[in-house]
Amino acid sequence: MNNTNQIHISLLVTSDVHGYIFPTNYIDHTERHLGLAKIATIVKQKRKQGHVLLMDNGDLIQGSPLTFYHAKYKANTPNPMIKIANQLNYRASVFGNHEFNYGLDYLQSVMNESNFPWLSATVLDEQGEPAFGKPYIIENIDGVKVAILGITTHYIPNWEDPKNIKGLTFSDALETTKTWVNKIRTNEQPDVLVVSYHGGFERDLETGEPTEELTGENQGYQICMEIEGIDVLLTGHQHRSIADYLNNVAVVQPSNNGQLLGEVKLSLQKNEDKWELKQCQPALISVDEEIQADPEVLLLAKEYEEQTQAWLDTPIGEIDRDMLITDPFQTRLQDSPLIEFINSVQMDVAGVTISNTSLFNNTSPGFKQKVTMRDIVSNYVYPNTLKVIRITGKDIKDALEKSATYFEIDESGEISVNPAYVEPKPQHYNYDMWEGIEYELKISNPVGERVTMLHYQGQPIDYKAEYDVVMNNYRAGGGGNFHMFQGNPVVKDIPTDMTELIANYIMKQGKINATCNQNWKITK
């Protein structure tokens, strides 16, 4: 119990919930230990025990079939994620990069429905001011003044469709945090200063060694090391599980999809008229089989879930054999009917002869003979649109070399996945497979020299010639450090989501022939 001179506050944080409410696997209906319904049970238990301050750290409204269905077909109805966030009395949310995926009109409606502010000091309008109002909030808990500053990774223009962020600029997260921490400390004199950063760590927390390319996407390490006056850093974006200290700053990152709830236990002591922060204890609370989903939350989302499940079971068409994925690694080692099909859809819609795509993760099941919307959203998990960009033969070669870094030769002399694409965050989506060209990659060759054959229409590709290539908007903007694609002319912008394009293609064809022309191969 708190006495008049001591107070304990539980700072709870979700991040990268990505539209998951029900503890369910949308691929096959199996139960999973995740989602806001189970998180709600923990939050309510914590509130019975004492003071609770609940935050969301971004990527709340996008990422599941439920939120996709709402954004595309039910956008004029209340947002299910916000209904639940309001019910749970979230105090604020930070803008994540995926908040912008459905456009600014949709995002504005989300903000209008929210009983809490959305924070970011890095998302700016054309005048260079915070675009959506508040960069920070002050929470007063029994006289304790807690300041929470919202920061969003500034790397968003490298991924997002420009129309979805029109009129916005994104200031450097590190420099902006420095500025605002100083302002808040000076003007507000809080007892506790929390930075809630939709971004992660580009360096090992213990050694400081880089764990990824230092692009500025994840500046958490520098924020802790270079900025004085931060007590707590809430992080996200990378979907990692972190509860630690860095330079005396308590740090948490609670995974994704509501699998973990981050907690920082704040203990303060009153000396005369001033509260003094005595302890910040970071922890992760596991959402396991012992935790039951909160019935109130399930009821709030019941109608949305039922509509989504009915939509997912809508028959679309059939395939003459199947396009199942039994081994994701093998699918990335040699051409497969599924990857060829996705590329074929892209080329058909775009009216070009060269395409690339990825197998986004290791849970894509492929397509059975009978195809439903559930199959499509299980395989194409991002709300990507398509762009046709004009690039040189040299750009194609450079992109293939970049993709070739996905592989390495392991100690046994076999091809394996480069650990940099698995830790600290899986990045299988940054390995592309191409259609419309013929190529070979030899993995035992040095990095940058692995493309041993590259042809277009039976002839060696001309490095100086220009080619129109269709790819998703994330890659076309250089996402995944494919810098060779940045700044090239956009020949065609296809703003329809790929899931809809795939569904439309299958419905139009009725029956799809599963083909595989083996236009590329990987060798040792």
Side-chain angles (χ1 to χ4, degrees):
M1 294 291 293
N2 294 333
N3 63 38
T4 55
N5 293 320
Q6 288 185 332
I7 191 169
H8 302 283
I9 301 167
S10 177
L11 173 61
L12 301 178
V13 61
T14 54
S15 190
D16 302 88
V17 174
H18 283 296
Y20 276 84
I21 300 171
F22 278 67
T24 187
N25 185 336
Y26 284 102
I27 296 174
D28 58 10
H29 292 288
T30 54
E31 184 175 353
R32 297 177 69 190
H33 306 304
L34 50 70
L36 276 186
K38 286 199 169 199
I39 291 282
T41 299
I42 304 172
V43 171
K44 290 180 179 181
Q45 289 170 351
K46 287 284 179 182
R47 285 207 169 107
K48 290 176 183 175
Q49 297 165 10
H51 296 290
V52 165
L53 181 55
L54 177 62
M55 281 288 303
D56 184 74
N57 191 53
D59 284 3
L60 177 67
I61 63 169
Q62 176 279 336
S64 71
L66 183 144
T67 48
F68 178 88
Y69 180 75
H70 180 267
K72 291 302 164 186
Y73 303 107
K74 298 289 181 178
N76 60 342
T77 67
N79 188 289
M81 303 304 295
I82 302 307
K83 281 182 73 172
I84 290 160
N86 288 339
Q87 175 74 19
L88 291 178
N89 195 26
Y90 274 82
R91 304 314 301 149
S93 182
V94 175
F95 293 99
N97 52 297
H98 285 290
E99 256 67 61
F100 299 93
N101 284 172
Y102 297 132
L104 292 177
D105 288 345
Y106 188 83
L107 182 53
Q108 189 62 57
S109 70
V110 162
M111 289 187 283
N112 292 344
E113 292 173 32
S114 301
N115 294 343
F116 50 87
W118 286 78
L119 309 177
S120 185
T122 53
V123 183
L124 308 179
D125 60 21
E126 290 170 324
Q127 285 71 49
E129 296 296 323
F132 301 108
K134 295 187 174 186
Y136 71 92
I137 58 169
I138 300 291
E139 285 287 307
N140 196 305
I141 302 172
D142 274 8
V144 174
K145 201 173 183 182
V146 181
I148 302 173
L149 171 65
I151 298 290
T152 305
T153 177
H154 60 260
Y155 215 61
I156 289 173
N158 292 282
W159 311 308
E160 191 54 73
D161 193 319
K163 74 176 187 298
N164 290 341
I165 51 174
K166 189 175 181 181
L168 300 177
T169 57
F170 297 83
S171 62
D172 182 272
L174 177 64
E175 296 306 319
T176 304
T177 305
K178 281 182 186 175
T179 300
W180 280 97
V181 164
N182 186 51
K183 281 184 185 178
I184 293 167
R185 280 288 180 201
T186 302
N187 299 334
E188 303 284 0
Q189 297 183 352
D191 301 305
V192 183
L193 198 153
V194 178
V195 175
S196 188
Y197 170 45
H198 191 83
F201 297 93
E202 63 294 280
R203 296 177 181 273
D204 184 278
L205 269 66
E206 289 187 9
T207 67
E209 289 296 310
T211 53
E212 57 187 57
E213 193 170 335
L214 299 180
T215 62
E217 178 183 345
N218 295 298
Q219 294 176 301
Y221 187 88
Q222 287 99 316
I223 287 172
C224 287
M225 299 302 288
E226 296 181 25
I227 304 175
E228 289 186 17
I230 299 172
D231 298 307
V232 178
L233 181 67
L234 310 177
T235 66
H237 185 54
Q238 294 174 308
H239 300 185
R240 295 169 65 183
S241 304
I242 298 171
D244 209 338
Y245 295 96
L246 180 57
N247 196 24
N248 296 318
V249 178
V251 174
V252 294
Q253 187 172 143
S255 186
N256 64 304
N257 296 358
Q259 297 178 87
L260 296 171
L261 179 64
E263 180 178 33
V264 182
K265 294 177 181 176
L266 305 171
S267 299
L268 296 97
Q269 174 109 21
K270 198 169 191 179
N271 293 325
E272 297 178 354
D273 291 331
K274 180 68 178 170
W275 285 104
E276 186 179 337
L277 183 62
K278 289 294 189 181
Q279 190 176 35
C280 288
Q281 187 177 347
L284 295 172
I285 302 170
S286 182
V287 178
D288 57 28
E289 66 276 1
E290 300 296 320
I291 296 164
Q292 299 300 307
D294 181 72
E296 197 173 10
V297 168
L298 294 179
L299 187 61
L300 277 175
K302 181 173 183 284
E303 185 178 348
Y304 298 94
E305 180 74 4
E306 288 173 349
Q307 291 173 347
T308 301
Q309 293 290 359
W311 170 70
L312 286 171
D313 287 328
T314 305
I316 299 297
E318 57 182 294
I319 297 167
D320 63 351
R321 293 187 294 279
D322 66 49
M323 298 180 183
L324 293 175
I325 300 293
T326 55
D327 185 337
F329 180 67
Q330 288 300 318
T331 300
R332 297 185 183 101
L333 270 183
Q334 56 192 8
D335 198 8
S336 69
L338 178 71
I339 298 302
E340 186 163 306
F341 169 70
I342 301 295
N343 275 319
S344 295
V345 172
Q346 293 186 173
M347 291 188 294
D348 179 77
V349 169
V352 299
T353 57
I354 305 176
S355 171
N356 67 47
T357 192
S358 303
L359 184 67
F360 295 120
N361 55 43
N362 285 342
T363 60
S364 295
F367 292 143
K368 304 182 292 289
Q369 285 184 286
K370 301 287 186 182
V371 181
T372 64
M373 280 304 305
R374 190 181 304 278
D375 299 316
I376 293 172
V377 300
S378 298
N379 286 284
Y380 209 101
V381 295
Y382 296 113
N384 289 335
T385 59
L386 297 178
K387 288 187 187 297
V388 177
I389 59 173
R390 185 160 291 158
I391 59 178
T392 64
K394 176 68 162 52
D395 291 330
I396 293 175
K397 196 264 186 186
D398 289 345
L400 289 170
E401 291 287 1
K402 177 73 177 73
S403 278
T405 64
Y406 178 80
F407 298 108
E408 66 174 17
I409 303 295
D410 63 21
E411 293 177 354
S412 64
E414 298 300 318
I415 299 175
S416 62
V417 177
N418 180 346
Y421 284 81
V422 180
E423 297 290 344
K425 173 186 176 181
Q427 296 182 56
H428 303 295
Y429 51 81
N430 282 330
Y431 167 70
D432 291 333
M433 293 157 280
W434 293 61
E435 191 63 34
I437 57 174
E438 302 83 44
Y439 63 94
E440 292 182 13
L441 305 178
K442 187 172 183 179
I443 306 307
S444 59
N445 281 2
V447 169
E449 300 174 22
R450 291 178 171 180
V451 177
T452 55
M453 187 269 280
L454 176 54
H455 288 177
Y456 174 66
Q457 295 182 344
Q459 299 295 320
I461 206 161
D462 184 344
Y463 284 179
K464 294 181 179 179
E466 292 185 323
Y467 302 87
D468 290 352
V469 181
V470 61
M471 61 188 76
N472 68 57
N473 61 294
Y474 171 79
R475 188 69 81 237
N481 301 318
F482 281 75
H483 305 301
M484 70 292 299
F485 295 148
Q486 287 178 319
N488 285 296
V490 177
V491 178
K492 189 182 293 185
D493 184 6
I494 301 159
T496 307
D497 286 288
M498 263 301 285
T499 47
E500 291 184 44
L501 293 175
I502 294 168
N504 292 340
Y505 184 90
I506 294 174
M507 286 189 285
K508 180 181 173 184
Q509 301 283 340
K511 190 168 188 176
I512 303 297
N513 295 318
T515 61
C516 187
N517 60 13
Q518 305 292 346
N519 64 298
W520 57 271
K521 68 178 180 179
I522 311 291
T523 64
K524 282 200 283 187

